[in-house]
Amino acid sequence: MNLVFLGPPGAGKGTMATRVSEHFKIPHISTGDIFRANIKGQTELGKKVKAILDAGDLVPDELTVELVKDRLSKDDAAAGFILDGFPRTIPQADALAGFSTVDQALNFVLPDEEVIKRLSGRRVHPGSGRTYHVLFSPPRTEGKDDVTGEDLVIRPDDQEDAIRNRLEVYKKQTQPLIAYYSERGLLVDVDSAPAPDEVFAQVLKILS
Ligand code: AMP
């Protein structure tokens, strides 16, 4: 089962991909997570992409495509995978079609106001990557990680300017993929507004 998860930032693609990955035992491949891990590890790739991620812009297609092509060639992706955050442009989708197939593209739909509310309330514990939300899943003590008590931070790309830019980039570059996969008969919409359990129930219904 080769899946692509589409949708604006903050629509919950990552959360759903984690659940689907556990349920169907297929790897969750998030290009954003791969870039962030490289930035944290201060690798060459990380140094190259840090400023791009912080601003909410897109990493160049060639670089991103190579990364995904390499990841999909690993044994664990042979029986299926979930691509979360890739493709994000038409050239990336064309490249993907050249080295793999896509069985279904799930389009997580969420209105702009909700996207902004979700992203601006997100807080992260830098050491572990644990995420919280000031409204939807607050830490026990405001601004502190539940496990270590250390400070929580706002991701640079969750700052207001970057959020606005990410939404704009999504509309210009990524939204055309909805028509792309729809024309190929692969697109299914998922309403991302309800609570995670309800969204996951929709996803399972589509995939089973
Ligand atoms: P995400 O966690 O999916 O929101 O991705 C975080 C950031 O990583 C994005 O704002 C981009 O800067 C970069 N990124 C992730 N996936 C891609 C992609 N497929 N193409 C280009 N840049 C990407």
Side-chain angles (χ1 to χ4, degrees):
M1 184 162 47
N2 298 350
L3 303 174
V4 161
F5 281 12
L6 294 175
K13 301 186 295 293
T15 306
M16 287 307 128
T18 302
R19 290 199 179 189
V20 170
S21 167
E22 280 163 8
H23 189 90
F24 290 103
K25 310 277 180 266
I26 52 175
H28 166 198
I29 300 169
S30 155
T31 39
D33 284 351
I34 296 173
F35 289 136
R36 278 185 291 275
N38 276 275
I39 291 171
K40 198 170 167 202
Q42 299 187 341
T43 67
E44 278 311 305
L45 173 66
K47 287 177 196 159
K48 238 188 250 176
V49 302
K50 182 176 186 322
I52 299 176
L53 263 84
D54 284 356
D57 290 325
L58 290 188
V59 174
D61 285 340
E62 314 83 80
L63 219 166
T64 311
V65 164
E66 273 315 303
L67 196 102
V68 172
K69 192 174 175 187
D70 179 64
R71 180 62 187 85
L72 292 187
S73 70
K74 304 271 189 287
D75 288 347
D76 69 335
F81 52 79
I82 305 151
L83 285 175
D84 160 19
F86 182 94
R88 249 181 165 94
T89 64
I90 299 277
Q92 289 183 11
D94 282 337
L96 175 64
F99 57 78
S100 185
T101 53
V102 170
D103 298 317
Q104 204 137 50
L106 268 55
N107 178 35
F108 292 85
V109 180
L110 195 69
D112 285 0
E113 319 83 69
E114 195 61 26
V115 165
I116 291 164
K117 195 157 82 181
R118 286 191 186 183
L119 293 180
S120 57
R122 189 154 67 176
R123 300 291 181 272
V124 186
H125 173 240
S128 65
R130 268 185 291 279
T131 56
Y132 300 86
H133 192 284
V134 293
L135 300 176
F136 309 128
S137 58
R140 279 196 290 272
T141 308
E142 194 185 323
K144 303 286 178 195
D145 177 46
D146 285 352
V147 178
T148 63
E150 290 167 352
D151 285 345
L152 301 178
V153 301
I154 302 178
R155 253 168 60 172
D157 61 344
D158 284 343
Q159 306 283 349
E160 213 178 306
D161 283 356
I163 290 175
R164 225 172 285 121
N165 189 38
R166 283 160 75 199
L167 253 179
E168 220 163 276
V169 168
Y170 167 74
K171 287 194 177 152
K172 259 196 221 134
Q173 314 245 57
T174 309
Q175 226 167 21
L177 292 175
I178 294 173
Y180 181 99
Y181 284 113
S182 173
E183 282 159 16
R184 286 158 181 77
L186 299 174
L187 193 87
V188 187
D189 281 347
V190 177
D191 176 9
S192 256
D197 283 349
E198 205 175 307
V199 179
F200 186 55
Q202 290 181 62
V203 171
L204 280 187
K205 204 168 157 198
I206 292 164
L207 298 179
S208 53

